Amino acid sequence: MTGTDTPMTPDNKAQAHAVRQAELRKRSSGRLMIFGFLSPTLAILLFMVAYPIFSLVYYSFFNFSALRQTTMKPVGLGNYSFLLSDPELWGRFVFTGKFVFICVALQMLIGIFVGYQLQKNFRGRDVIFTILMMPMMLSPVVVGFLWRYMLNSEWGIVNFLLSSIGLPKVDWLGQTNAALWAAAAADTWMWTPFIVLLATAAFRGIPETIYEAAEVDGASPAYRFFRITLPMSAPVLFIALILRLIDSFKQYDLFVALTGGGPGSSTETVSYAVAKTAFSYFYTGEASALAVILLVIIIGLSMILVRHLTKMGEKY
């Protein structure tokens, strides 16, 4: 023991213990205060998120109709086996997959290209950017009806332009393949501005000194784009991809306004089938099971993409 050391007397030990107890009480009160502020929000989230999901899963195991709430017959996995053995449902999954792939691919390609052009400073840039953002501000139902009038086989503006250059008219909404591309065009027109917005923000966040150093080293514009711009903005673009993928899988109101699920039921997405089963036929149990299947698919794809996003964030 040196001369500067203070011996631990009983009074010193009691004082140190009292200080520790005061610190513990202060931390506990802080935690209680934080929990008190968060508890209303947590309660709302628990009610608005957890309860509907629990109810959805619960009802999926019953032969249940919202019109006959007293007759809930447990069927186990019967609703799931019935749905997964339905060839029409697999057709809806195929159609939904095609729609999602076309929309997300077009929106990402066009959005990245336009965003890369808009990151540059030039006269009229803000005006062009504002105009491009306008479709995203509309309701999907409004967009659906707008494109429905534009694609009318008799007096729509699209067929008028085709006729003016000598091309035959196309029954855009009366053929399955044509209706698929029509819906993809409408969705792309509406949501590409979202990708443009995120891509422009990501590109403008890259330090200009990196481009200047690459230009001094003689890097070509293509090299700078693929080796600097895309890798450094990849996390933001990946988030945009995840959000658009999830939203495209849930697309319902656009098809209601644009095609009404026709011709026949060939343009019904899985979300459209859920709403139709639940609110047109009132087969609540089957609709709940179908919604759970769609939810599992979306969560699975999201988890895979988020895992890649996490690796990408660690890399860049």
Side-chain angles (χ1 to χ4, degrees):
M1 178 181 295
T2 63
T4 58
D5 292 335
T6 303
M8 292 296 295
T9 63
D11 292 339
N12 291 337
K13 291 180 180 180
Q15 185 177 3
H17 179 72
V19 170
R20 286 196 297 269
Q21 291 295 324
E23 291 178 353
L24 290 175
R25 286 194 296 270
K26 185 177 180 180
R27 292 178 184 177
S28 299
S29 62
R31 292 171 182 170
L32 288 174
M33 183 179 295
I34 293 173
F35 179 77
F37 282 121
L38 290 179
S39 56
T41 303
L42 293 175
I44 293 173
L45 288 176
L46 187 65
F47 177 76
M48 297 185 64
V49 177
Y51 176 74
I53 293 177
F54 173 79
S55 301
L56 188 73
V57 176
Y58 176 76
Y59 289 142
S60 69
F61 297 112
F62 289 87
N63 183 5
F64 169 63
S65 174
L67 296 180
R68 301 183 302 275
Q69 298 186 17
T70 57
T71 58
M72 291 182 59
K73 180 181 178 181
V75 293
L77 298 176
N79 288 327
Y80 293 95
S81 61
F82 172 76
L83 290 170
L84 294 177
S85 61
D86 184 6
E88 291 187 3
L89 177 62
W90 287 107
R92 294 186 178 100
F93 271 110
V94 170
F95 177 81
T96 304
K98 291 179 180 179
F99 173 77
V100 170
F101 177 79
I102 294 172
C103 288
V104 173
L106 288 176
Q107 291 167 26
M108 292 301 297
L109 291 174
I110 298 173
I112 290 173
F113 174 78
V114 176
Y116 186 69
Q117 302 303 318
L118 289 177
Q119 67 150 340
K120 306 169 185 176
N121 292 319
F122 57 89
R123 179 172 297 183
R125 172 184 172 274
D126 294 338
V127 176
I128 295 175
F129 192 85
T130 303
I131 294 174
L132 288 176
M133 292 299 109
M134 287 182 179
M136 190 174 61
M137 303 174 188
L138 299 174
S139 167
V141 174
V142 174
V143 172
F145 279 115
L146 174 64
W147 279 77
R148 183 173 183 174
Y149 296 139
M150 291 172 56
L151 296 171
N152 186 277
S153 59
E154 297 299 328
W155 42 264
I157 185 65
V158 175
N159 277 339
F160 173 77
L161 294 175
L162 291 177
S163 300
S164 64
I165 59 176
L167 295 177
K169 294 182 178 181
V170 178
D171 187 7
W172 293 103
L173 305 180
Q175 304 175 34
T176 302
N177 291 331
L180 169 63
W181 285 99
D187 191 76
T188 301
W189 178 80
M190 181 178 182
W191 289 112
T192 297
F194 176 74
I195 307 297
V196 172
L197 182 65
L198 294 184
T200 304
F203 296 156
R204 291 179 70 86
I206 300 174
E208 193 66 28
T209 54
I210 298 179
Y211 289 111
E212 294 173 356
E215 190 173 355
V216 170
D217 292 338
S220 64
Y223 182 91
R224 294 197 299 268
F225 178 75
F226 287 104
R227 295 291 184 175
I228 298 176
T229 304
L230 279 185
M232 295 194 69
S233 60
V236 176
L237 297 178
F238 218 72
I239 292 174
L241 173 66
I242 294 173
L243 294 177
R244 287 306 308 137
L245 188 72
I246 294 173
D247 193 64
S248 297
F249 261 106
K250 299 187 301 179
Q251 190 59 262
Y252 162 72
D253 36 9
L254 176 67
F255 284 93
V256 171
L258 183 62
T259 66
S265 59
S266 59
T267 60
E268 289 184 1
T269 60
V270 180
S271 296
Y272 195 114
V274 171
K276 188 175 180 179
T277 304
F279 304 113
S280 295
Y281 303 141
F282 291 98
Y283 296 150
T284 310
E286 293 179 15
S288 300
L290 184 54
V292 170
I293 294 172
L294 181 61
L295 181 65
V296 169
I297 292 174
I298 293 176
I299 291 176
L301 289 175
S302 301
M303 290 179 63
I304 294 172
L305 293 175
V306 168
R307 181 176 298 179
H308 285 286
L309 177 62
T310 304
K311 294 179 181 179
M312 196 177 299
E314 294 174 354
K315 184 176 181 180
Y316 298 107

